[in-house]
Amino acid sequence: MEFLDSLILGFSTAATPTNLLFCLIGALLGTLIGVLPGIGPTATLAILLPITFFLPPLAALIMLAGIFYGAQYGGSTTAILVNLPGEASSVVTALDGYQMAKQGRAGAALAIAALGSFFAGTVSTIGLAVAGPTLASFALDFGPAEYFSLTVFGLLCATILASGSVIKAIGMIGIGLLLGWVGTDVNSGSERLTFGAVELFDGIEFVVIAVGLFGIAEIITNLESPETRGLIATKITRLWPTREDFRKAWPAVLRGTGLGTFLGILPGGGATLSAFSAYTLEKKVSRRPQEFGRGAIQGVAGPEAANNAGAQSSFIPLLTLGIPSNAVMAMLLGAMTIHGITPGPSVMHNQPDLFWGLIASMWIGNLMLLVINLPLIGLWVKLLTVPYRLLYPAILLFCCVGVYSVSNRAFDVALAVGFGFLGYLFRKAKCEPGPLLLGFVLGPLLETNLRRAMLISQGSPTVFIERPISLVLLLASLALFILLLVPAIRKTREDAFVEEEA
């Protein structure tokens, strides 16, 4: 009964006119940026973070969450129709989706993608509602030692599951940790890494780094590429899949939902890893793997279900433990902090309307996406004709205004532009900026809990191995570190992302 009461509270909170409006705005914006290749959900969340200052906390979180999972829907539309994935997680959808479109089956591919995403989103939202209270109650037993060990475990998971080189991922996390330590030490009052600059005494704002590394860097990177967007000439005549399509697709949807929900929970996981893993799984279990890449509907159903399930379940560690599992969740953690919300198990107990309202809004948002995506496919495709020479200057101006509005300082705008160029250089060097942002967010958490644990134990480091939960997390971290050194594991990890790089 308590669970049902919580759900009723959530739906009554999420269904207010204000929250419904921002849920719709988030779903529409998410679909839009998913359709338009070049600006992903991470960059969009970074750009829109400043304007959420003026919104109620729950409405802001509902809109930002809607952008994230809405982008998973929108990305599939251009992947199928134009062979141009709007989102990284839609890359594998393009492999078979575009082939289906060329065979005159674009409608079936789009419908299976939308229905599979809706089913996966519903299941993973239920999973979040069921697992959330248990994990949050468990997390109440956590002290500083446990949180320190959990942060170490999360950073190692982020290293293993990040695409690209392990060494580069560790380096990016290290840079993020250093950036998180810039400013005045709250304990000793001494300056750290400020180089005498008064503007850095209070540290670097989260919004400055996020907008620079993801928003501005994304625009600079895209300016290098020629604007080539050829719209499909095939007319979409039939949207509803055949019975045979459903028979082939539903097992893939089920497998993708389960795999995506599991991978989304892991630190470093999320929509992209879930989609690639689901595609690999479908090829492995298929009796006719040779059909993949030539229009197999399982190649659309599995990854699309997995990326949406992964997107939704990645909220679980953030809302229950206060640990972001990927760069997008780090953005949402930043948004919660800006609104004075302390992420973690206390959210559910102190602000149940916010916790359950956000969960209920995800199901409502998924329903909205199903309704607005299929009938409006023509409109979304027409948006692809908007030239980037008009789009990018507007986004850049929006980035600068947003950063300036945080502290009304021109220095922050200059710093964001500097991080933009730094982010561009990282991309050229094939260094993923996501681990940097995780390091920046988790660095202060790591330091604070390390200090608290040492104070409580009066300087004895044995506190980390005397407490059972902390010991288990540290042993798991050690096991992950050893796995990183095993050549076979490293090769398997690199193979999982090989199609993304291709």
Side-chain angles (χ1 to χ4, degrees):
M1 287 303 290
E2 189 181 346
F3 178 70
L4 284 178
D5 290 341
S6 300
L7 277 184
I8 292 170
L9 170 67
F11 276 102
S12 61
T13 308
T16 61
T18 303
N19 290 334
L20 282 176
L21 174 66
F22 282 100
C23 188
L24 181 62
I25 291 173
L28 286 170
L29 277 175
T31 306
L32 176 64
I33 58 109
V35 166
L36 290 173
I39 302 294
T42 314
T44 308
L45 289 178
I47 294 165
L48 292 180
L49 261 184
I51 70 162
T52 65
F53 297 166
F54 311 104
L55 299 179
L58 180 57
L61 291 176
I62 285 175
M63 185 183 77
L64 293 176
I67 291 171
F68 179 39
Y69 55 75
Q72 316 308 321
Y73 276 77
S76 65
T77 302
T78 44
I80 291 169
L81 294 181
V82 200
N83 197 23
L84 205 58
E87 232 284 296
S89 60
S90 301
V91 170
V92 288
T93 305
L95 298 177
D96 285 283
Y98 186 62
Q99 293 300 320
M100 287 181 69
K102 285 171 70 176
Q103 296 163 15
R105 301 174 61 213
L110 289 165
I112 283 295
L115 293 171
S117 296
F118 176 71
F119 175 81
T122 302
V123 170
S124 56
T125 302
I126 293 171
L128 174 56
V130 172
T134 308
L135 277 174
S137 299
F138 176 65
L140 287 174
D141 295 331
F142 278 34
E146 285 81 4
Y147 269 111
F148 170 79
S149 303
L150 179 65
T151 309
V152 172
F153 178 70
L155 287 173
L156 275 170
C157 278
T159 305
I160 279 191
L161 297 177
S163 61
S165 159
V166 171
I167 302 297
K168 289 177 180 175
I170 292 173
M172 295 299 278
I173 287 176
I175 295 172
L177 290 173
L178 284 175
L179 289 171
W181 290 329
V182 172
T184 307
D185 182 9
V186 291
N187 292 302
S188 65
S190 59
E191 299 166 23
R192 298 190 305 188
L193 303 172
T194 61
F195 304 103
V198 179
E199 293 85 356
L200 293 177
F201 281 7
D202 290 333
I204 302 173
E205 291 285 350
F206 174 81
V207 173
V208 171
I209 291 185
V211 170
L213 282 182
F214 291 93
I216 297 174
E218 194 85 36
I219 293 171
I220 298 173
T221 307
N222 285 322
L223 286 176
E224 273 194 345
S225 309
E227 189 175 332
T228 51
R229 290 177 291 177
L231 295 181
I232 190 169
T234 308
K235 190 177 179 182
I236 302 171
T237 53
R238 178 191 169 96
L239 258 180
W240 199 248
T242 63
R243 185 177 295 181
E244 180 66 11
D245 287 334
F246 275 118
R247 188 188 66 77
K248 289 181 177 175
W250 77 263
V253 169
L254 289 178
R255 284 189 289 267
T257 301
L259 187 64
T261 303
F262 172 70
L263 290 177
I265 297 171
L266 297 179
T272 305
L273 179 68
S274 302
F276 278 88
S277 303
Y279 191 79
T280 306
L281 176 65
E282 288 309 314
K283 280 178 78 172
K284 292 274 186 194
V285 301
S286 174
R287 292 178 181 174
R288 296 178 179 174
Q290 68 275 13
E291 291 181 356
F292 281 77
R294 298 177 182 175
I297 198 164
Q298 301 95 317
V300 176
E304 279 302 308
N307 70 30
N308 209 40
Q312 311 266 0
S313 64
S314 59
F315 282 85
I316 293 177
L318 174 68
L319 292 177
T320 57
L321 301 173
I323 301 290
S325 58
N326 52 47
V328 175
M329 290 302 113
M331 296 280 183
L332 285 168
L333 186 142
M336 292 173 82
T337 308
I338 287 167
H339 283 278
I341 303 165
T342 305
S346 59
V347 174
M348 178 182 289
H349 295 278
N350 298 336
Q351 297 166 286
D353 53 334
L354 187 139
F355 180 88
W356 290 104
L358 182 58
I359 290 177
S361 78
M362 290 183 193
W363 189 84
I364 295 172
N366 271 280
L367 187 62
M368 285 180 177
L369 285 164
L370 186 65
V371 173
I372 64 179
N373 263 266
L374 288 179
L376 300 180
I377 281 173
L379 173 66
W380 299 124
V381 174
K382 276 195 180 301
L383 284 172
L384 282 168
T385 58
V386 176
Y388 285 151
R389 68 176 184 279
L390 301 177
L391 201 60
Y392 287 155
I395 294 174
L396 193 59
L397 178 67
F398 203 66
C399 287
C400 294
V401 171
V403 168
Y404 184 79
S405 68
V406 176
S407 304
N408 296 328
R409 293 193 309 179
F411 176 79
D412 286 346
V413 178
L415 203 57
V417 173
F419 275 112
F421 281 103
L422 191 63
Y424 168 73
L425 293 177
F426 284 150
R427 282 169 168 77
K428 297 296 283 183
K430 296 190 182 305
C431 294
E432 195 183 346
L436 187 153
L437 197 66
L438 279 177
F440 178 75
V441 170
L442 294 177
L445 193 66
L446 189 79
E447 182 187 6
T448 303
N449 286 300
L450 174 64
R451 284 184 166 179
R452 282 180 185 165
M454 295 299 282
L455 277 174
I456 292 170
S457 66
Q458 298 182 330
S460 171
T462 55
V463 66
F464 298 107
I465 55 174
E466 286 173 348
R467 297 176 70 91
I469 297 175
S470 174
L471 177 62
V472 169
L473 287 167
L474 285 179
L475 288 175
S477 303
L478 181 64
L480 281 178
F481 184 72
I482 293 171
L483 281 176
L484 271 176
L485 301 178
V486 178
I489 298 291
R490 282 211 307 270
K491 186 172 186 312
T492 304
R493 173 187 165 282
E494 286 162 7
D495 288 346
F497 290 96
V498 71
E499 286 174 271
E500 179 186 12
E501 290 168 0

